[in-house]
């Protein structure tokens, strides 16, 4: 078996040697800097996180509630760590579409279990994604829009990124969408 293994590795070894010789002739490879290392794409170092727990009640709008919570608590950089609950009217924007799609709602009689809610938010903006599952276990997901109303409850664990960090959404020329910009506030800018 060892001899067979050696024979199998021989073509790989010769390929590696050929690649190495080519590299020496061509010079060092150009290494592209990952986008998260560019300015405004990451925090400058690890920052602490505070945790809040929020329970929404029937009829509450999930997006409006999270953004209002951020405003009241002066949360500049929030994220959803966990969520369990249910929705009645659920408004999601599927990938690649510019308009939302409404599931359930008044008179429809259909409710959904929240199987996932993740994303970032502040008082001014949000980028939340949610997956919900209906009574037949069909799952729908997308970007959460205003109009997702709680059916029975939504128990949400919120992370607050601290260290003078603020989440801002600005139009990104590369994607065409409002994307996250991470801002480190100076001491005199912070509350």
């Amino acid at each position: 078996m060892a001899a067979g293994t050696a024979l199998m590795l021989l073509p790989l070894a010769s390929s590696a040697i050929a690649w190495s010789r080519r590299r020496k002739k061509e010079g060092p490879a150009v290494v592209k800097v990952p986008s998260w290392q560019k300015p405004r794409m990451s925090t400058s170092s690890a920052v602490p996180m505070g945790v809040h727990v929020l329970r929404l009640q029937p009829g509450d709008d999930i997006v409006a509630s999270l953004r209002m919570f951020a405003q009241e608590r002066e949360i500049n950089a929030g994220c959803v760590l966990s969520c369990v609950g249910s929705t009645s009217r659920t408004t999601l924007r599927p990938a690649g579409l510019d308009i939302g799609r409404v599931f359930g709602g008044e008179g429809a009689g259909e409710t959904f279990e929240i199987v996932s809610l993740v994303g970032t938010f502040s008082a001014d903006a949000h980028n939340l994604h949610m997956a919900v599952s209906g009574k037949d276990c069909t799952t729908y997901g997308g970007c959460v829009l205003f109009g997702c109303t709680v059916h029975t409850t939504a128990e949400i664990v919120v992370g607050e990124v601290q260290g003078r960090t603020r989440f801002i959404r600005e139009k990104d020329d590369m994607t065409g969408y409002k994307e996250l910009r991470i801002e480190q506030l100076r001491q005199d800018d912070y509350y």
Side-chain angles (χ1 to χ4, degrees), residues 53-67 69 83-86 114 117 148-156:
V53 181
L54 172 65
R55 179 175 174 234
L56 303 182
Q57 297 183 350
D60 288 345
D61 184 289
I62 292 172
V63 173
S65 297
L66 283 171
R67 289 183 51 179
F69 186 77
C83 177
V84 293
S86 62
I114 299 170
L117 175 62
C148 287
T149 54
V150 173
H151 175 61
T152 56
T153 189
E155 303 161 5
I156 305 173

Side-chain angles (χ1 to χ4, degrees), residues 89-95 97-103 142-146:
R89 182 176 193 263
T90 307
T91 309
L92 304 172
R93 182 184 52 77
L97 297 181
D98 291 332
I99 58 170
R101 183 172 168 198
V102 178
F103 302 91
C143 188
V144 184
L145 304 176
F146 288 98

Side-chain angles (χ1 to χ4, degrees), residues 90-165:
T90 307
T91 309
L92 304 172
R93 182 184 52 77
L97 297 181
D98 291 332
I99 58 170
R101 183 172 168 198
V102 178
F103 302 91
E106 282 187 44
E110 190 169 10
T111 61
F112 301 93
E113 287 293 318
I114 299 170
V115 295
S116 176
L117 175 62
V118 296
T120 56
F121 66 95
S122 65
D124 302 323
H126 68 278
N127 186 13
L128 301 167
H129 290 206
M130 182 165 65
V132 295
S133 179
K135 63 184 174 190
D136 62 352
C137 292
T138 300
T139 303
Y140 304 98
C143 188
V144 184
L145 304 176
F146 288 98
C148 287
T149 54
V150 173
H151 175 61
T152 56
T153 189
E155 303 161 5
I156 305 173
V157 181
V158 170
E160 178 183 3
V161 180
Q162 297 172 344
R164 300 188 315 269
T165 305

Side-chain angles (χ1 to χ4, degrees), residues 10-32:
L10 188 57
L12 294 175
S14 64
S15 299
I17 292 168
W19 180 85
S20 177
R21 286 183 183 147
R22 239 185 354 266
R23 272 291 132 227
K24 286 180 183 175
K25 287 180 188 173
E26 297 170 7
V30 175
V31 178
K32 186 176 178 185

